[in-house]
Amino acid sequence: MRGRFAACAALLVLGVTACGGGRTTARPDTSFDQASSRVVHPSTARGGTLRLAVTDAPVSLDPGDVGLTYEADLARLYARSLVTYAAAPGAAGLRLVPDLAEGLGRPGDGGRTWTYRLRRGITYEDGTPVRARDVKYAVARSGYTAQLTHGPRGLRDALTGTYWGPYLDPDLDHFTGVTTPDDRTVVFHLKRADFDFDHLAASPQTAPVPRVKDTRLAYEKHPLSTGPYRFARHDVGTGFTLVRNPRWRDDPNRAALPDRIEVTERVAAADIDARLRAGTLDADLAGAGVQPATRDAILAAPALRARADDPPTGLVRYAALSTGVAPLDDVHCRRAVQYAVDRTAIQRAYGGPTAGTPATNVLPPTATGYRPFDRYPRDLARARAELRACGRPGGFTTGIAVRGDRPDDVAAARAVRQALADAGIGTQVTTLSAFQWGSTAGSPAYVHRHGLGVLIGDWAADRPTGPAFLRPLTGPAAKTNNANPMELRDPRVDRLLAEGARTPDPRRRADLSAEADRAVMETGAFVPLLAERTVLYRPDTLAGAYVHPAYGMYDYAALGRRTPASP
């Protein structure tokens, strides 16, 4: 999962204490960021065409292969997963609700099985009934084939058994991770208990796919719809058109206001911004926010500012301290870095307050278990005391690795370098290409060999839960493309996450995620820098607009068109 106050309210519902730190008081300008906490221009009027554009092209529109947040948001228009997130801003938006299924998952065997009962009468766009076996097939193709590789692997990693996918092994009886006792019952069998499993069942990968209609990589050209819209046109790399699905029914989660949705791909970012301001485009599909020059112009003009939002994206920018590079293998040397970092300077490097909130937690404010605390406020005296504790009273020198194709990250690396120099820690910044990154900064051997003790990166989970965010960062280190650049293996963190997975009570699970967050911060290995925010602009022609907290962008299933009142 991507304003601040809406996310904080949502977290209270999930058992998280009130947010603090960063922006803790109400903004004096109440017209700014309205759609983060309420629906702007609510409407039930149907009709018209919603116009969307994106700078590139979606990696895939196949529900089993979507890997980007906006693709998952968009897929809800034509693919219904077993459960989904409630269609609402703020607190209600992170609540899981039934979608294709009649109810949320029913746990069994201490949380190691999860059973879903499909709604009666749901069909595809061609009138074919949806069967439980279609859900099983969808999971099998999306998580286990060599062809569909862009989506998250959470479901595959959670399910029992070894399976090579239906393209290599067409006998679905060999796929034991999912069973279907009858046409309306789907049972998931897990390797270990996980009481957050409903969040996995909300993945587009549980949207059904009839086996006879699967065209493998070509399926994204026309996924068979169970949602309110179906594909009328799809020119891959150019754009597509969605029109109403006459078979859609029994769905309280999607407003489906427009008659048509037109998406244009490969539009220059500056052109998207210009068209949004002119009202000839309704939304930027990627939800990445306007360009810096447009942002500055919007924020400077009250009328434009009133149509802008600044939600958290769920992404945290960080500096990972490699525990395999001396002297950062010593916790006190790592804590010296923590106390020296100047997060206000980091925020400036990324573009100021609208670009993000200085981060002091591992978890972003959009994740269950987020409890704001500041273990390492900037304090150069304490940084020097930690240097003495690690036997380096005169400081030390290490390398900083950063992707050279990301100017903001490079600026942040320079800010880190200056802050560490204030404490007597010397650094040298190494810029690496995007092509190099996975095999260099993502390779512990390379990091050790080149003395890269500080790695500038970012991370966002595919689900708004504490465990989904923490597990990859703290799991076993890989030889390349390492998701745990700290190379951290902390038994307490592992124990807390494992206990949370076995805990049915969502409030207690949130407590355990918060404890795991604190445990990671105690190691000193993860230096949170910025909880990202992004400025979105909505023209006055947009109806039903709100930021969905599970996606950090507008809820595409709620948007409609309106005729603005005359000035």
mmCIF file of all heavy atoms in Angstrom, residues 227-245:
data_model
loop_
_atom_site.group_PDB
_atom_site.id
_atom_site.type_symbol
_atom_site.label_atom_id
_atom_site.label_comp_id
_atom_site.label_asym_id
_atom_site.label_seq_id
_atom_site.Cartn_x
_atom_site.Cartn_y
_atom_site.Cartn_z
ATOM 1 N N GLY A 227 -16.097 -7.403 -13.188
ATOM 2 C CA GLY A 227 -16.360 -6.100 -12.597
ATOM 3 C C GLY A 227 -17.345 -5.285 -13.408
ATOM 4 O O GLY A 227 -17.975 -5.782 -14.352
ATOM 5 N N PRO A 228 -17.474 -4.005 -13.082
ATOM 6 C CA PRO A 228 -18.470 -3.169 -13.754
ATOM 7 C C PRO A 228 -18.105 -2.788 -15.187
ATOM 8 O O PRO A 228 -18.962 -2.289 -15.917
ATOM 9 C CB PRO A 228 -18.545 -1.925 -12.866
ATOM 10 C CG PRO A 228 -17.242 -1.879 -12.151
ATOM 11 C CD PRO A 228 -16.839 -3.311 -11.945
ATOM 12 N N TYR A 229 -16.843 -3.002 -15.583
ATOM 13 C CA TYR A 229 -16.419 -2.625 -16.937
ATOM 14 C C TYR A 229 -15.738 -3.797 -17.632
ATOM 15 O O TYR A 229 -15.142 -4.660 -16.993
ATOM 16 C CB TYR A 229 -15.473 -1.425 -16.891
ATOM 17 C CG TYR A 229 -16.139 -0.186 -16.331
ATOM 18 C CD1 TYR A 229 -16.019 0.135 -14.978
ATOM 19 C CD2 TYR A 229 -16.902 0.634 -17.157
ATOM 20 C CE1 TYR A 229 -16.657 1.247 -14.454
ATOM 21 C CE2 TYR A 229 -17.540 1.760 -16.639
ATOM 22 C CZ TYR A 229 -17.422 2.059 -15.285
ATOM 23 O OH TYR A 229 -18.060 3.157 -14.774
ATOM 24 N N ARG A 230 -15.810 -3.789 -18.951
ATOM 25 C CA ARG A 230 -15.115 -4.770 -19.778
ATOM 26 C C ARG A 230 -14.297 -4.017 -20.823
ATOM 27 O O ARG A 230 -14.557 -2.842 -21.119
ATOM 28 C CB ARG A 230 -16.101 -5.716 -20.467
ATOM 29 C CG ARG A 230 -17.068 -5.015 -21.401
ATOM 30 C CD ARG A 230 -18.012 -5.991 -22.078
ATOM 31 N NE ARG A 230 -18.976 -5.300 -22.916
ATOM 32 C CZ ARG A 230 -18.748 -4.908 -24.170
ATOM 33 N NH1 ARG A 230 -17.560 -5.152 -24.740
ATOM 34 N NH2 ARG A 230 -19.666 -4.285 -24.879
ATOM 35 N N PHE A 231 -13.327 -4.689 -21.401
ATOM 36 C CA PHE A 231 -12.472 -4.068 -22.406
ATOM 37 C C PHE A 231 -13.203 -4.012 -23.748
ATOM 38 O O PHE A 231 -13.639 -5.045 -24.273
ATOM 39 C CB PHE A 231 -11.172 -4.856 -22.568
ATOM 40 C CG PHE A 231 -10.173 -4.588 -21.476
ATOM 41 C CD1 PHE A 231 -10.262 -5.253 -20.261
ATOM 42 C CD2 PHE A 231 -9.162 -3.657 -21.671
ATOM 43 C CE1 PHE A 231 -9.357 -5.002 -19.252
ATOM 44 C CE2 PHE A 231 -8.246 -3.396 -20.660
ATOM 45 C CZ PHE A 231 -8.339 -4.069 -19.443
ATOM 46 N N ALA A 232 -13.318 -2.797 -24.291
ATOM 47 C CA ALA A 232 -13.834 -2.639 -25.649
ATOM 48 C C ALA A 232 -12.690 -2.516 -26.634
ATOM 49 O O ALA A 232 -12.837 -2.854 -27.818
ATOM 50 C CB ALA A 232 -14.716 -1.393 -25.740
ATOM 51 N N ARG A 233 -11.534 -2.027 -26.152
ATOM 52 C CA ARG A 233 -10.346 -1.839 -26.984
ATOM 53 C C ARG A 233 -9.125 -1.893 -26.088
ATOM 54 O O ARG A 233 -9.133 -1.378 -24.982
ATOM 55 C CB ARG A 233 -10.406 -0.476 -27.676
ATOM 56 C CG ARG A 233 -9.146 -0.075 -28.439
ATOM 57 C CD ARG A 233 -9.226 1.371 -28.918
ATOM 58 N NE ARG A 233 -9.177 2.327 -27.818
ATOM 59 C CZ ARG A 233 -8.055 2.867 -27.325
ATOM 60 N NH1 ARG A 233 -6.882 2.507 -27.832
ATOM 61 N NH2 ARG A 233 -8.113 3.731 -26.345
ATOM 62 N N HIS A 234 -8.079 -2.537 -26.570
ATOM 63 C CA HIS A 234 -6.801 -2.516 -25.851
ATOM 64 C C HIS A 234 -5.661 -2.634 -26.845
ATOM 65 O O HIS A 234 -5.374 -3.709 -27.371
ATOM 66 C CB HIS A 234 -6.724 -3.656 -24.822
ATOM 67 C CG HIS A 234 -5.499 -3.589 -23.968
ATOM 68 N ND1 HIS A 234 -5.125 -4.606 -23.107
ATOM 69 C CD2 HIS A 234 -4.554 -2.616 -23.825
ATOM 70 C CE1 HIS A 234 -4.006 -4.263 -22.489
ATOM 71 N NE2 HIS A 234 -3.644 -3.060 -22.918
ATOM 72 N N ASP A 235 -5.040 -1.513 -27.115
ATOM 73 C CA ASP A 235 -3.844 -1.474 -27.948
ATOM 74 C C ASP A 235 -2.656 -1.369 -26.997
ATOM 75 O O ASP A 235 -2.356 -0.283 -26.490
ATOM 76 C CB ASP A 235 -3.880 -0.274 -28.893
ATOM 77 C CG ASP A 235 -5.108 -0.293 -29.798
ATOM 78 O OD1 ASP A 235 -5.427 -1.382 -30.299
ATOM 79 O OD2 ASP A 235 -5.738 0.770 -29.979
ATOM 80 N N VAL A 236 -2.016 -2.501 -26.720
ATOM 81 C CA VAL A 236 -0.960 -2.548 -25.714
ATOM 82 C C VAL A 236 0.135 -1.541 -26.048
ATOM 83 O O VAL A 236 0.660 -1.515 -27.167
ATOM 84 C CB VAL A 236 -0.367 -3.973 -25.614
ATOM 85 C CG1 VAL A 236 0.776 -4.003 -24.612
ATOM 86 C CG2 VAL A 236 -1.463 -4.959 -25.197
ATOM 87 N N GLY A 237 0.460 -0.683 -25.095
ATOM 88 C CA GLY A 237 1.475 0.342 -25.295
ATOM 89 C C GLY A 237 0.926 1.645 -25.825
ATOM 90 O O GLY A 237 1.660 2.632 -25.923
ATOM 91 N N THR A 238 -0.372 1.679 -26.161
ATOM 92 C CA THR A 238 -0.995 2.903 -26.680
ATOM 93 C C THR A 238 -2.142 3.369 -25.799
ATOM 94 O O THR A 238 -2.228 4.548 -25.441
ATOM 95 C CB THR A 238 -1.517 2.673 -28.118
ATOM 96 O OG1 THR A 238 -0.411 2.298 -28.949
ATOM 97 C CG2 THR A 238 -2.161 3.932 -28.672
ATOM 98 N N GLY A 239 -3.027 2.447 -25.459
ATOM 99 C CA GLY A 239 -4.143 2.803 -24.600
ATOM 100 C C GLY A 239 -5.260 1.790 -24.691
ATOM 101 O O GLY A 239 -5.175 0.792 -25.430
ATOM 102 N N PHE A 240 -6.325 2.028 -23.938
ATOM 103 C CA PHE A 240 -7.448 1.095 -23.940
ATOM 104 C C PHE A 240 -8.717 1.829 -23.536
ATOM 105 O O PHE A 240 -8.691 2.935 -22.977
ATOM 106 C CB PHE A 240 -7.186 -0.098 -23.014
ATOM 107 C CG PHE A 240 -6.827 0.256 -21.604
ATOM 108 C CD1 PHE A 240 -7.803 0.338 -20.608
ATOM 109 C CD2 PHE A 240 -5.509 0.516 -21.247
ATOM 110 C CE1 PHE A 240 -7.474 0.657 -19.304
ATOM 111 C CE2 PHE A 240 -5.165 0.836 -19.941
ATOM 112 C CZ PHE A 240 -6.151 0.905 -18.968
ATOM 113 N N THR A 241 -9.852 1.179 -23.827
ATOM 114 C CA THR A 241 -11.168 1.711 -23.498
ATOM 115 C C THR A 241 -11.949 0.663 -22.734
ATOM 116 O O THR A 241 -12.011 -0.502 -23.140
ATOM 117 C CB THR A 241 -11.944 2.090 -24.772
ATOM 118 O OG1 THR A 241 -11.203 3.073 -25.496
ATOM 119 C CG2 THR A 241 -13.320 2.642 -24.424
ATOM 120 N N LEU A 242 -12.546 1.086 -21.633
ATOM 121 C CA LEU A 242 -13.435 0.231 -20.858
ATOM 122 C C LEU A 242 -14.864 0.731 -21.023
ATOM 123 O O LEU A 242 -15.111 1.946 -20.993
ATOM 124 C CB LEU A 242 -13.055 0.253 -19.374
ATOM 125 C CG LEU A 242 -11.641 -0.221 -19.002
ATOM 126 C CD1 LEU A 242 -11.387 -0.011 -17.516
ATOM 127 C CD2 LEU A 242 -11.449 -1.686 -19.365
ATOM 128 N N VAL A 243 -15.788 -0.204 -21.197
ATOM 129 C CA VAL A 243 -17.210 0.131 -21.294
ATOM 130 C C VAL A 243 -17.964 -0.735 -20.292
ATOM 131 O O VAL A 243 -17.424 -1.675 -19.720
ATOM 132 C CB VAL A 243 -17.747 -0.087 -22.722
ATOM 133 C CG1 VAL A 243 -17.052 0.841 -23.706
ATOM 134 C CG2 VAL A 243 -17.583 -1.551 -23.145
ATOM 135 N N ARG A 244 -19.230 -0.425 -20.095
ATOM 136 C CA ARG A 244 -20.001 -1.138 -19.070
ATOM 137 C C ARG A 244 -20.111 -2.634 -19.375
ATOM 138 O O ARG A 244 -20.279 -3.036 -20.519
ATOM 139 C CB ARG A 244 -21.394 -0.530 -18.938
ATOM 140 C CG ARG A 244 -21.389 0.857 -18.336
ATOM 141 C CD ARG A 244 -22.772 1.268 -17.853
ATOM 142 N NE ARG A 244 -22.745 2.607 -17.286
ATOM 143 C CZ ARG A 244 -22.338 2.894 -16.048
ATOM 144 N NH1 ARG A 244 -21.936 1.914 -15.243
ATOM 145 N NH2 ARG A 244 -22.330 4.134 -15.611
ATOM 146 N N ASN A 245 -20.018 -3.416 -18.313
ATOM 147 C CA ASN A 245 -20.235 -4.858 -18.382
ATOM 148 C C ASN A 245 -21.692 -5.124 -18.004
ATOM 149 O O ASN A 245 -22.066 -4.980 -16.837
ATOM 150 C CB ASN A 245 -19.283 -5.563 -17.414
ATOM 151 C CG ASN A 245 -19.578 -7.047 -17.266
ATOM 152 O OD1 ASN A 245 -20.332 -7.638 -18.040
ATOM 153 N ND2 ASN A 245 -18.984 -7.662 -16.251
#
